[in-house]
Amino acid sequence: MCKYDSDTPYLSIVTPTYNRAALLRRCYMSLYAQTCRDFEWIVVDDGSDDDTEKVMREITDECELFGISYIKKQNGGKHTALNAAHGSIRGRFVLILDSDDTLTDTAVAQISEAWRMYDSNSEVGIVTFLKGRSADDPNCVVSDWNVPVDIMRYKRTCIHSSDCCEVIRTELFKQYPFPVFEGEKFLSEGALWNRVSFCYKCIYINSVVYICEYLEGGLTRSGKALRIRNPHGGMYTSNLNMSRKNFFMRRVKNGLLYVCYGFFAKQRPKEMASNCCAKTLMWCCLPFGYLLYKLWGHKYG
């Protein structure tokens, strides 16, 4: 069950990358070391101008343990790279592995074991493992393990960040492609996870399988400056989080963010309201969201 099946690998590991040629081999070696090899690796090069193509050609030529697909596309941002992977995915489940991160040696084995327990439960769309700085140092913890929960109504206790390692059914990954906004190259992965959570539940597994580093120049480290340069994407994810499925205080927070991003997008309040799922909340947040917009504009703009 744990050997690579060239026709139907159990897991598809998708790696969007941009100018990370120096790190791709480390990422690859963590896959080479997997105790279970029933997976494929799909690398989507988002228009790199370094040696990424050369490195991937070398890796592909030498690897005989699992399948590798390399896709090169014009630069458009991580979310567009994930969309570009759709046509190459053959696995039953999808894991997103950033090119500057690695997996633990038993990650694929643990993922396969977990999904075989919950695959027949049609209400479960995502099985979520932990990310961490090491196998013993998780980014966050949750209170309930191995039970179906609503993602939006679930609170994580953050140690380093709220990042987790989501493994999603392939049909859902393809059913909810990331929207693309003209001129913008960043959209949070929450645009996927939150939409899936409207109809499906998640299982949390108390195990770190994903080792992450937050490098200078990476999306996580780029923070608020990156987000305000991509305000329509920020509005989109904030609007999703204003849903009544979410906690009230989280809805309020995202109401403020929705207004803030709206002003960065040069929208008038009536225009913001026309596309908002919680109009009353948006109008209540308007003056405070405007103050946040002025503060961020001064600090990050």
Side-chain angles (χ1 to χ4, degrees), residues 170-294:
T170 294
E171 61 267 27
L172 297 181
F173 184 74
K174 293 182 178 182
Q175 182 180 338
Y176 296 96
F178 289 91
V180 178
F181 300 96
E182 185 176 357
E184 296 192 4
K185 295 186 177 182
F186 173 78
L187 180 65
S188 167
E189 285 183 31
L192 170 62
W193 312 130
N194 289 344
R195 282 182 294 163
V196 174
S197 74
F198 289 144
C199 302
Y200 297 89
K201 292 188 176 181
C202 168
I203 299 286
Y204 283 93
I205 306 294
N206 185 19
S207 179
V208 175
V209 300
Y210 187 117
I211 309 301
C212 51
E213 296 184 19
Y214 299 119
L215 301 178
E216 294 298 333
L219 294 179
T220 305
R221 282 287 183 94
S222 300
K224 294 183 179 66
L226 175 66
R227 294 175 186 273
I228 66 177
R229 292 198 302 270
N230 298 271
H232 292 94
M235 291 182 73
Y236 182 85
T237 52
S238 298
N239 195 27
L240 291 173
N241 278 302
M242 292 168 72
S243 164
R244 291 185 180 274
K245 287 179 66 72
N246 218 332
F247 292 102
F248 177 72
M249 289 309 298
R250 196 177 292 165
R251 294 181 67 215
V252 171
K253 173 186 175 182
N254 280 277
L256 296 173
L257 291 172
Y258 181 83
V259 171
C260 176
Y261 292 133
F263 280 115
F264 278 114
K266 310 298 182 186
Q267 291 190 6
R268 296 180 181 276
K270 286 186 178 180
E271 188 179 359
M272 298 180 206
S274 66
N275 297 312
C276 185
C277 72
K279 293 179 174 57
T280 301
L281 176 59
M282 191 222 86
W283 285 111
C284 291
C285 290
L286 186 67
F288 307 102
Y290 177 76
L291 291 176
L292 183 63
Y293 156 71
K294 297 298 288 185

Side-chain angles (χ1 to χ4, degrees), residues 7 27 96 110 145 167 196-197 200 216 248 269:
D7 294 323
C27 183
I96 301 170
Q110 290 184 68
W145 307 103
V167 185
V196 174
S197 74
Y200 297 89
E216 294 298 333
F248 177 72

Side-chain angles (χ1 to χ4, degrees), residues 34-282:
Q34 291 300 306
T35 58
C36 174
R37 296 190 176 114
D38 195 5
F39 67 91
E40 64 177 347
W41 189 30
I42 302 170
V43 178
V44 185
D45 182 351
D46 191 36
S48 298
D49 55 15
D50 62 359
D51 289 333
T52 292
E53 186 169 358
K54 176 185 176 183
V55 170
M56 285 307 306
R57 187 164 53 247
E58 293 170 352
I59 288 174
T60 302
D61 287 345
E62 72 185 54
C63 182
E64 298 179 350
L65 298 179
F66 51 87
I68 299 177
S69 299
Y70 173 70
I71 304 166
K72 186 158 187 177
K73 61 178 285 294
Q74 188 175 19
N75 181 254
K78 177 180 177 180
H79 61 300
T80 67
L82 292 171
N83 287 346
H86 284 194
S88 298
I89 293 172
R90 293 173 296 168
R92 295 184 61 188
F93 306 96
V94 175
L95 179 155
I96 301 170
L97 174 63
D98 289 346
S99 54
D100 51 350
D101 297 330
T102 59
L103 297 181
T104 62
D105 292 355
T106 60
V108 174
Q110 290 184 68
I111 290 166
S112 299
E113 180 182 1
W115 260 117
R116 287 190 169 92
M117 290 176 59
Y118 299 109
D119 191 5
S120 61
N121 187 343
S122 60
E123 72 173 355
V124 175
I126 301 171
V127 171
T128 297
F129 291 81
L130 300 181
K131 291 184 179 181
R133 297 183 178 183
S134 70
D136 301 316
D137 188 14
N139 282 347
C140 63
V141 296
V142 299
S143 56
D144 293 317
W145 307 103
N146 305 312
V147 295
V149 297
D150 292 321
I151 299 173
M152 279 194 167
R153 297 203 59 80
Y154 207 69
K155 291 182 177 179
R156 301 171 182 175
T157 301
C158 298
I159 301 171
H160 306 303
S161 78
S162 61
D163 282 352
C164 285
C165 175
E166 294 90 351
V167 185
I168 186 173
R169 295 182 189 269
T170 294
E171 61 267 27
L172 297 181
F173 184 74
K174 293 182 178 182
Q175 182 180 338
Y176 296 96
F178 289 91
V180 178
F181 300 96
E182 185 176 357
E184 296 192 4
K185 295 186 177 182
F186 173 78
L187 180 65
S188 167
E189 285 183 31
L192 170 62
W193 312 130
N194 289 344
R195 282 182 294 163
V196 174
S197 74
F198 289 144
C199 302
Y200 297 89
K201 292 188 176 181
C202 168
I203 299 286
Y204 283 93
I205 306 294
N206 185 19
S207 179
V208 175
V209 300
Y210 187 117
I211 309 301
C212 51
E213 296 184 19
Y214 299 119
L215 301 178
E216 294 298 333
L219 294 179
T220 305
R221 282 287 183 94
S222 300
K224 294 183 179 66
L226 175 66
R227 294 175 186 273
I228 66 177
R229 292 198 302 270
N230 298 271
H232 292 94
M235 291 182 73
Y236 182 85
T237 52
S238 298
N239 195 27
L240 291 173
N241 278 302
M242 292 168 72
S243 164
R244 291 185 180 274
K245 287 179 66 72
N246 218 332
F247 292 102
F248 177 72
M249 289 309 298
R250 196 177 292 165
R251 294 181 67 215
V252 171
K253 173 186 175 182
N254 280 277
L256 296 173
L257 291 172
Y258 181 83
V259 171
C260 176
Y261 292 133
F263 280 115
F264 278 114
K266 310 298 182 186
Q267 291 190 6
R268 296 180 181 276
K270 286 186 178 180
E271 188 179 359
M272 298 180 206
S274 66
N275 297 312
C276 185
C277 72
K279 293 179 174 57
T280 301
L281 176 59
M282 191 222 86

